[in-house]
Structures are given as structure tokens and as C-alpha cells.
Amino acid sequence: MTKKVTMQQIADHLGVSKFVVSKALSGKGGVSTGAKERVLEAAAQLGYFTQPSAGRLRAKRDDKAPKPQSGRHSVLVLMPNVRYQTMDSTYWGKIVDGISACLSEYGYSMVIVAEQNVETLQNVLNLDGILGMIGVGVISSAVLLEIHRLGLPMVLVDHEDSLIPADTLFLNNFDSMNRLARHLIAIGHRNLQFVGDIGFSRSFLDRFAGFRAAMEEAGLALGDEPYGSHSLEGVDHYSEQLLPWLEKKQAEGALPTALVCANDSIALGAMEALTKLGVSVPDEMSVTGFDNIDDSAWSNPPLTTVHVPKETLGRRAVRQLMDRIQTSAEPQEKVLLAGEIVYRGSIREWTRG
């Protein structure tokens, strides 16, 4: 049987008093934000939160999901407070649409919070009215630790955190990108370049892994390191970010024959940059994206991409949360939904050497 992790062990690990640890884990005042975050992170790393009921508050509710007639109940939907990940987004907004529609079918409402601040979260939460939490996109560890400490069941969409035990939902990014890269190789491409910051999210990392596996299976070199910033400050300007690198490759006579982009926004930016350089897509270079946002169908040429069933992800997250509420003792699950390649005019066979 695994030895229980105590507050004293956490205190010894950090070199602080047990009093500080107790205050931080209880959510009470008297501890600075920085100290609280260090305690929560250490507690998670040592396995404190994986113990049954350790350090958790419990909302007053039954083990099973409340019936609609028992009153109005809500699910907390957390979205990062960043300008591109909003309800207006053609990607994230559709996931939230799916969450909203499915909750309505259950007779529940949702409360959307786009703040990554633990103190703000504590102020807006009314545990008596919250069934659980669905996180959409990248959520900070500090916020997830606070949700876990409060004892709320949670499901994360397109994100996971090694410190936090939670159910997660993703598209099968590895397999989808692997099939797309293998298709490009099958139609003659040998010089393919992945474009995207693999440190941005788990999804980007898995997409690169699928690309790399296809290249290695075909005995092809990966070329440059995965290239392309996905910083929040530059999210609207992928063409500007990619242009210097593409100009350099063009001057060296070393342009790839295909750019395999981590998402559609990067791919559309890449096509804009290539147009500025006078490089024709797909005659001189093929370009692919991922996500199948609305703009991908209207670009010139229309973008080959992987369709992500965004509303289905939202609906599936609600069902997973309801299952978690009813079976809280079961192991956490990682659910993968299949993606579908959408072939459009941005790729062509490559017959030159």
C-alpha cells in the first residue's frame, strides 16, 4: 500500500512550516500567492492530491448528477484569458457551442470564466451551484490545482497537466497527422517541413510526433527543427513570422516541396507569405493545415486540412463529466476522437526531383 503523503512531508520538501502548507491547501488567507502556488505544485508532485479526499473541499451534492427537476445547476467552463481563444473563435467557440447544447439537453446551464487568476476564481465560484468544470484549451496549473483542491470533478479539452489527475479529451492528433504526412509522401513529396511550435500545446507536440513517425518510416530527413512561433503576441501575423525563414530558404534554393503546418492559421499565414515571395501553391509548394476552421475552405487555393469535430468534442466533454460525477472512484480517462483528412486544392503530386 502506498504510504500517505502528509502536510509535514510537503513542508519539509519546501523548507517551510506545516502552518504555511495547511493555510495554502485550505485556501485560507495569510499566505502569499507565490507561496501558495509553490505549495500546491509540490503537493501535486509528491502525490498528495491523488490520495482519496486529501486536502479537498466537497461541494454539497449527491454522488450522482442531480436531476434537472432538483433545481438549476451549472457547469463551470474555463477558457484562458487570451485574445484568440474566445467564444468568437471558429475553433474554440464551436467547442463551447457543443458544451452549451449538450448541457441544455441535460437541463443544466454553464458559467464561462476566462480568467487565469486563482483569487478571482475563488470569488466567482459558488460551490453549491456548480456540478463540475470543463476546461477548454490551455489552463494554468495553479488554477487547475485550485479546482482539484475544491473537489470539483473536471474534464479538460485539448489540454492535460502532468500534475493534475483529470479526464482529458483530444483529437487523435498523432494518427491524423501521420496519415496526412504519409499521403504527401505517397504522392511524391520527399522534402517536407513541419511548421509549428511544439512547445505550445500537447496537441502540437502530438501532431509533430505523427509527422516525424511518417518521415522516419519513409527514411526521410526531418530538415530544419520544427519552425514557427505560436506566441500570443504574434498570433495574427504568421505570414510575417514565416517570411524571413522562407526568404532564406528561397535564396538558398532549398525550399521544401510541402509545408505541414500544426494548424490552419499557421498554414494560411504560410500561403500568404509564399504569395509575397511569388511561390505558387500548389504548383511550386504544397501546404496543409489542421483543424478545418471556416477560413480554410475559402482560402485561395482552398486548404487541405484535418477536420476536428469541434462541437462533438464539446458534447463529449459534457458526457464525460456526467460519467465522472457518477463514478468518481474510477480511473481517469483520456479520450481520443478520430479526425478526417479533407483534401482540397493546396496540395498536388510532386514529380520533380
Side-chain angles (χ1 to χ4, degrees):
M1 183 175 180
T2 304
K3 187 177 180 181
K4 182 178 180 181
V5 179
T6 65
M7 290 187 188
Q8 187 61 57
Q9 287 175 304
I10 299 170
D12 293 342
H13 178 76
L14 291 172
V16 300
S17 70
K18 182 180 176 181
F19 174 79
V20 170
V21 174
S22 176
K23 286 282 189 180
L25 293 178
S26 67
K28 297 177 180 178
V31 181
S32 70
T33 300
K36 181 178 180 180
E37 290 183 358
R38 288 194 297 274
V39 170
L40 291 173
E41 183 172 350
Q45 290 174 339
L46 293 172
Y48 180 80
F49 291 119
T50 60
Q51 301 173 133
S53 302
R56 303 182 200 177
L57 303 177
R58 288 293 176 187
K60 296 177 181 179
R61 57 177 179 264
D62 297 329
D63 290 337
K64 294 185 178 182
K67 302 298 182 184
Q69 59 267 27
S70 67
R72 184 174 177 82
H73 294 274
S74 300
V75 167
L76 176 66
V77 177
L78 274 184
M79 297 182 71
N81 189 16
V82 294
R83 59 194 174 95
Y84 76 96
Q85 194 164 311
T86 67
M87 282 288 292
D88 295 329
S89 163
T90 58
Y91 183 87
W92 304 105
K94 288 186 176 181
I95 293 176
V96 177
D97 286 345
I99 293 172
S100 177
C102 194
L103 283 174
S104 294
E105 292 170 6
Y106 278 98
Y108 306 139
S109 62
M110 69 178 179
V111 176
I112 298 179
V113 176
E115 179 59 63
Q116 290 271 36
N117 182 281
V118 173
E119 283 69 30
T120 301
L121 187 65
Q122 291 171 335
N123 291 334
V124 301
L125 276 183
N126 174 11
L127 290 183
D128 289 336
I130 301 293
L131 293 169
M133 187 276 284
I134 297 175
V136 182
V138 180
I139 310 290
S140 73
S141 294
V143 168
L144 291 177
L145 284 168
E146 181 65 15
I147 294 293
H148 184 67
R149 186 191 69 80
L150 293 172
L152 288 176
M154 71 173 85
V155 174
L156 303 180
V157 180
D158 209 37
H159 178 59
E160 63 184 359
D161 191 307
S162 60
L163 300 177
I164 315 299
D167 293 309
T168 58
L169 274 83
F170 289 89
L171 187 84
N172 194 334
N173 291 291
F174 180 97
D175 285 353
S176 298
M177 185 63 88
N178 183 263
R179 285 187 286 114
L180 179 57
R182 289 173 65 182
H183 174 75
L184 290 169
I185 293 168
I187 62 175
H189 290 275
R190 295 295 178 269
N191 184 4
L192 296 83
Q193 176 65 52
F194 182 86
V195 186
D197 178 5
I198 62 175
F200 172 70
S201 68
R202 177 57 188 265
S203 290
F204 275 28
L205 178 61
D206 288 346
R207 291 169 192 181
F208 172 68
F211 169 82
R212 179 178 59 194
M215 296 289 281
E216 290 176 350
E217 182 182 350
L220 300 175
L222 287 176
D224 290 353
E225 290 298 311
Y227 180 87
S229 171
H230 201 131
S231 65
L232 301 181
E233 291 76 17
V235 73
D236 294 331
H237 307 288
Y238 290 120
S239 62
E240 295 176 13
Q241 294 172 350
L242 294 170
L243 190 58
W245 176 74
L246 289 168
E247 282 182 319
K248 182 175 180 291
K249 286 292 185 182
Q250 186 181 47
E252 295 170 350
L255 280 173
T257 65
L259 296 182
V260 181
C261 300
N263 71 12
D264 289 347
S265 296
I266 297 173
L268 295 172
M271 290 203 295
E272 183 180 338
L274 290 169
T275 298
K276 292 178 181 178
L277 294 176
V279 178
S280 173
V281 177
D283 293 335
E284 296 175 271
M285 187 183 296
S286 291
V287 179
T288 65
F290 207 108
D291 291 340
N292 195 27
I293 64 174
D294 293 344
D295 288 348
S296 66
W298 305 108
S299 61
N300 184 25
L303 182 65
T304 292
T305 185
V306 173
H307 176 67
V308 176
K310 295 170 273 292
E311 292 189 14
T312 301
L313 271 173
R315 286 179 168 275
R316 186 66 177 82
V318 173
R319 294 198 297 271
Q320 188 71 20
L321 181 63
M322 296 301 137
D323 288 345
R324 177 54 54 197
I325 291 170
Q326 294 176 2
T327 58
S328 59
E330 294 295 322
Q332 275 74 36
E333 297 181 3
K334 181 174 183 176
V335 178
L336 298 179
L337 301 186
E340 179 184 358
I341 299 176
V342 181
Y343 298 100
R344 298 191 180 117
S346 66
I347 64 173
R348 58 161 290 181
E349 289 187 41
W350 192 258
T351 56
R352 285 171 277 182

